[in-house]
């Protein structure tokens, strides 16, 4: 990250927040220098999470407080003096779903706006088909509830949920909605106007729903500065232009989605891969390759209250390149990832892969690019691995 003019320690930030009566989203604390050879806690465990539970070294450690509107307290003197006077384009405050019931969480993501839109577009589609069909929001919620139940209580056929046989029929479903009405809702279920589709977008029919969910996901993000980028497969056996077949995946057939996730697995934003026809940014692809371009496109979609966090990205060798890591550092973001050998310059003075195959397991070779502030590590595991990542601490681990 960039060098600050003057950093504030945790004690100073707590005093400012108390005086200004500010409520930050999160406080990031730099690990303090260890001066005590003890593993004893600084206070009772039952009081964890309070300032009284921190020792003097932790209170003196540099820290930053991140607010809902993206401000960062602790960057420099000027921001502390002008914390009330500085004007910002304030995004909606982040939403926290911790402690909410499953129904409350569902109603947050599928709120009245999106439910009204779905009922409207479903009725429009039925009208285009000259069908007599209407649906209310409450009835749509019941249909969605049945779909969720079908996801974890599986039967060989959808019709069996309404069966009168005791071994397969589900009374909860049968009492909630008739089979014919459920099938009718699925037949006319729509998320956009078919007459106004973007022909370049293979997912245009569900794009409004995807955009809505991405907005909701971002607003409920837990403000973690560590974000991983990877692909996920969504199982699908029907016909569609975007369907992929990837043999080495647990789910081999379906849609491939690019996902930005927190360490706890929370999905911050996503997009479904559909080749190079839609969503392509040739500038990013020329600079960082298809993988790196995907990261930048997804990150641009995030709201400012997430992009203002000192984010560190983690990704695999499909995405990693030296130009991408350097670009992220220039815009004050960190990056860690494995890298392919053919993306390492031949002039790099690191041990070659053939040389590393001859060394014992656990051996590391490190090269630092002082100009671009990039650290490259090549180490011997079962195979030779190349990483852009820190080296220390080194540890021994057990394998099974």
């Amino acid at each position: 990250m960039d060098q600050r003019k003057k950093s504030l320690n945790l004690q100073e930030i707590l005093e400012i927040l108390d005086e200004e009566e500010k409520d930050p989203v999160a406080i990031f604390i730099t690990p303090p220098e260890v001066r005590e050879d003890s593993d004893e806690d600084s206070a009772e465990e039952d009081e964890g999470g309070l300032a009284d539970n921190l020792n003097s070294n932790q209170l003196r450690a540099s820290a930053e407080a991140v607010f809902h509107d993206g401000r960062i307290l602790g960057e420099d003197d000027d921001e502390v003096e002008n914390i009330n006077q500085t004007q910002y384009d304030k995004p909606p405050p982040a939403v926290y779903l911790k402690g909410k019931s499953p129904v409350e969480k569902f109603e947050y993501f599928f709120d009245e706006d999106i439910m009204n839109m779905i009922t409207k577009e479903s009725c429009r589609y039925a009208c285009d088909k000259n069908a007599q069909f209407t649906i209310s929001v409450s009835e749509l919620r019941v249909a969605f509830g049945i779909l969720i139940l079908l996801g974890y209580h599986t039967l060989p056929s959808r019709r069996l949920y309404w069966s009168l046989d005791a071994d397969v029929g589900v009374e909860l479903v049968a009492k909630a909605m008739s089979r014919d009405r459920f099938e009718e809702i699925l037949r006319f279920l729509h998320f956009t106007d078919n007459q106004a589709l973007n022909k370049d977008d293979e997912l245009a029919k569900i794009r409004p729903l995807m955009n809505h969910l991405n907005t909701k996901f971002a607003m409920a993000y837990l403000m973690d500065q560590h974000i991983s980028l990877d692909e996920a497969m969504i199982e699908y056996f029907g016909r569609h232009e975007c369907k992929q077949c990837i043999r080495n995946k647990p789910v081999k057939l379906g849609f491939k989605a690019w996902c930005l996730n927190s360490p706890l697995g929370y999905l911050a934003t996503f997009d479904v891969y559909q080749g190079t026809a839609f969503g392509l940014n040739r500038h990013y692809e020329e600079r960082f390759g298809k993988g790196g371009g995907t990261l930048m496109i997804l990150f641009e979609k995030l709201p400012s209250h997430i992009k203002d966090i000192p984010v560190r990205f983690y990704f695999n060798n499909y995405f990693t390149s030296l130009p991408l890591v350097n670009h992220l550092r220039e815009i004050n973001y960190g990056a860690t990832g494995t890298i392919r050998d053919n993306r390492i310059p031949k002039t790099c003075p690191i041990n070659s892969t053939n040389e590393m195959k001859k060394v014992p397991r656990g051996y590391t070779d490190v090269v630092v690019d002082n100009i671009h502030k990039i650290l490259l590590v090549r180490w011997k595991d079962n195979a030779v691995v190349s990483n852009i990542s820190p080296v220390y601490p080194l540890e021994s681990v057990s394998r099974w």
Side-chain angles (χ1 to χ4, degrees), residues 280-350:
L280 176 67
N281 188 316
R282 296 193 180 278
H283 173 69
Y284 283 146
E285 183 175 354
E286 290 172 358
R287 290 186 63 188
F288 313 124
K290 291 184 178 180
T294 299
L295 169 64
M296 297 307 304
I297 292 170
L298 285 177
F299 190 60
E300 280 187 349
K301 294 180 180 180
L302 293 176
S304 59
H305 72 275
I306 297 180
K307 290 192 284 189
D308 288 341
I309 301 174
V311 171
R312 173 170 285 275
F313 293 99
Y314 300 83
F315 32 68
N316 61 31
N317 59 31
Y318 175 76
F319 306 97
T320 311
S321 67
L322 295 179
L324 174 65
V325 174
N326 183 48
H327 174 72
L328 291 173
R329 184 196 62 80
E330 289 176 346
I331 58 177
N332 299 325
Y333 299 117
T336 297
T338 53
I339 186 170
R340 298 176 181 178
D341 284 353
N342 60 4
R343 296 181 183 175
I344 300 175
K346 294 182 179 180
T347 55
C348 179
I350 200 166

Side-chain angles (χ1 to χ4, degrees), residues 2 106 131 154 169 257 271 285 313 359 361 373 395:
D2 58 333
F106 174 83
T154 56
D271 198 9
E285 183 175 354
F313 293 99
V359 300
R361 186 176 178 183
K373 308 298 181 184
E395 296 181 0

Side-chain angles (χ1 to χ4, degrees), residues 116-388:
N116 287 327
M117 184 272 287
I118 295 172
T119 57
K120 174 184 174 182
E121 296 301 338
S122 299
C123 292
R124 187 204 302 271
Y125 176 71
C127 183
D128 292 341
K129 296 295 183 179
N130 296 319
Q132 298 295 324
F133 173 82
T134 60
I135 185 173
S136 65
V137 170
S138 60
E139 199 173 19
L140 183 61
R141 284 198 177 98
V142 174
F144 279 1
I146 294 175
L147 283 173
I148 293 173
L149 186 145
L150 267 58
Y152 64 84
H153 182 68
T154 56
L155 292 176
S157 170
R158 193 161 65 201
R159 300 174 66 90
L160 292 177
Y161 291 89
W162 285 268
S163 173
L164 298 179
D165 297 333
D167 59 334
V168 291
V170 180
E171 185 179 4
L172 177 65
V173 173
K175 286 185 175 181
M177 180 176 289
S178 71
R179 183 194 65 196
D180 290 346
R181 179 56 175 168
F182 181 70
E183 295 292 344
E184 184 183 33
I185 291 174
L186 292 189
R187 175 188 172 192
F188 293 114
L189 188 65
H190 261 64
F191 304 97
T192 190
D193 183 2
N194 278 4
Q195 306 302 320
L197 297 178
N198 183 349
K199 295 182 180 180
D200 294 329
D201 186 2
E202 297 290 348
L203 300 167
K205 288 188 176 183
I206 61 170
R207 183 63 61 183
L209 177 63
M210 292 171 60
N211 292 340
H212 171 84
L213 290 177
N214 273 327
T215 300
K216 287 290 189 175
F217 291 159
M219 293 313 304
Y221 184 65
L222 298 177
M223 306 301 286
D224 196 305
Q225 73 175 123
H226 302 285
I227 298 180
S228 68
L229 170 62
D230 207 348
E231 61 187 36
M233 290 295 292
I234 304 169
E235 192 172 55
Y236 179 72
F237 297 104
R239 295 181 178 180
H240 197 277
E241 295 293 331
C242 297
K243 191 173 72 172
Q244 302 283 308
C245 178
I246 305 180
R247 294 183 179 180
N248 61 345
K249 294 288 185 182
V251 177
K252 297 177 175 59
L253 285 173
F255 298 105
K256 181 170 73 173
W258 303 119
C259 304
L260 288 179
N261 292 83
S262 75
L264 295 176
Y266 182 84
L267 178 63
T269 189
F270 76 100
D271 198 9
V272 176
Y273 175 73
Q274 52 179 304
T276 59
F278 182 79
L280 176 67
N281 188 316
R282 296 193 180 278
H283 173 69
Y284 283 146
E285 183 175 354
E286 290 172 358
R287 290 186 63 188
F288 313 124
K290 291 184 178 180
T294 299
L295 169 64
M296 297 307 304
I297 292 170
L298 285 177
F299 190 60
E300 280 187 349
K301 294 180 180 180
L302 293 176
S304 59
H305 72 275
I306 297 180
K307 290 192 284 189
D308 288 341
I309 301 174
V311 171
R312 173 170 285 275
F313 293 99
Y314 300 83
F315 32 68
N316 61 31
N317 59 31
Y318 175 76
F319 306 97
T320 311
S321 67
L322 295 179
L324 174 65
V325 174
N326 183 48
H327 174 72
L328 291 173
R329 184 196 62 80
E330 289 176 346
I331 58 177
N332 299 325
Y333 299 117
T336 297
T338 53
I339 186 170
R340 298 176 181 178
D341 284 353
N342 60 4
R343 296 181 183 175
I344 300 175
K346 294 182 179 180
T347 55
C348 179
I350 200 166
N351 286 347
S352 68
T353 300
N354 290 333
E355 292 174 328
M356 292 293 294
K357 290 179 180 178
K358 302 175 184 178
V359 300
R361 186 176 178 183
Y363 180 86
T364 61
D365 189 28
V366 183
V367 172
V368 180
D369 182 347
N370 290 315
I371 298 176
H372 299 104
K373 308 298 181 184
I374 297 175
L375 187 146
L376 177 64
V377 182
R378 181 166 278 167
W379 56 288
K380 176 69 177 297
D381 191 27
N382 289 332
V384 179
V385 184
S386 300
N387 288 81
I388 294 178

Side-chain angles (χ1 to χ4, degrees), residues 95-106:
V95 177
Y96 298 96
L97 299 178
K98 184 177 181 180
K100 301 291 186 181
S101 69
V103 173
E104 289 173 323
K105 292 176 181 178
F106 174 83

Side-chain angles (χ1 to χ4, degrees), residues 5-106:
K5 296 177 183 178
K6 176 187 174 181
S7 61
L8 297 176
N9 62 38
L10 178 60
Q11 181 65 52
E12 292 170 333
I13 284 183
L14 292 175
E15 291 175 355
I16 293 171
L17 295 176
D18 185 54
E19 292 176 0
E20 303 288 347
E21 297 183 354
K22 300 295 181 182
D23 185 18
V25 172
I27 298 179
F28 298 104
I29 308 174
T30 302
E33 181 183 355
V34 178
R35 295 192 177 96
E36 301 174 1
D37 296 327
S38 172
D39 59 359
E40 183 179 356
D41 289 339
S42 58
E44 296 295 332
E45 290 185 357
D46 291 340
E47 299 299 324
L50 303 177
D52 295 339
N53 196 40
L54 303 176
N55 58 38
S56 58
N57 285 345
Q58 291 169 318
L59 291 172
R60 287 195 297 266
S62 60
E64 291 180 349
V66 180
F67 294 89
H68 293 291
D69 56 14
R71 291 174 297 160
I72 300 179
L73 173 61
E75 286 191 323
D76 52 48
D77 293 339
D78 296 335
E79 187 173 7
V80 176
E81 295 173 359
N82 300 318
I83 187 170
N84 288 322
Q85 288 75 27
T86 307
Q87 298 297 318
Y88 296 88
D89 294 328
K90 295 184 179 181
V95 177
Y96 298 96
L97 299 178
K98 184 177 181 180
K100 301 291 186 181
S101 69
V103 173
E104 289 173 323
K105 292 176 181 178
F106 174 83

